[in-house]
Amino acid sequence: MILEVSRGHVQVKIGDRTATVQGEMFFPGNDKIGFLLCRGSLRFWNAPNQNQIMTVADIDIIIADIRADFSQGGHTLEVEN
């Protein structure tokens, strides 16, 4: 579930943990937003779980969650490695 979207990050909640994904917002038109997500910025969960390293499966779940929320609103998500 997306908690916050800003020009430079998206914050999500997955289960009982949160993560902040760095990236860049863009505007593709039609009053929609787009976000270029930096997959490489996903390494650790937010506090209080900041010592837990994200697994590849965690990262895939986070990206899928953001993609699903964005697509429901007709928004664009691009992923950069």
Side-chain angles (χ1 to χ4, degrees):
M1 166 179 49
I2 293 178
L3 300 175
E4 176 183 296
V5 177
S6 77
R7 291 181 62 167
H9 74 267
V10 174
Q11 187 177 53
V12 296
K13 182 172 184 173
I14 305 294
D16 62 348
R17 299 178 290 185
T18 61
T20 301
V21 184
Q22 302 301 314
E24 184 73 30
M25 184 182 291
F26 63 92
F27 300 95
N30 298 331
D31 294 328
K32 302 296 179 184
I33 65 167
F35 196 83
L36 174 62
L37 178 148
C38 298
R39 185 182 181 98
S41 74
L42 289 166
R43 295 186 45 208
F44 297 95
W45 293 95
N46 293 352
N49 302 299
Q50 68 272 16
N51 295 326
Q52 294 179 9
I53 297 173
M54 290 181 184
T55 65
V56 171
D58 290 335
I59 294 168
D60 290 343
I61 289 168
I62 290 167
I63 292 171
D65 185 72
I66 295 170
R67 189 175 307 280
D69 279 358
F70 269 50
S71 68
Q72 284 181 353
H75 304 296
T76 303
L77 179 68
E78 294 182 13
V79 180
E80 178 181 82
N81 289 328

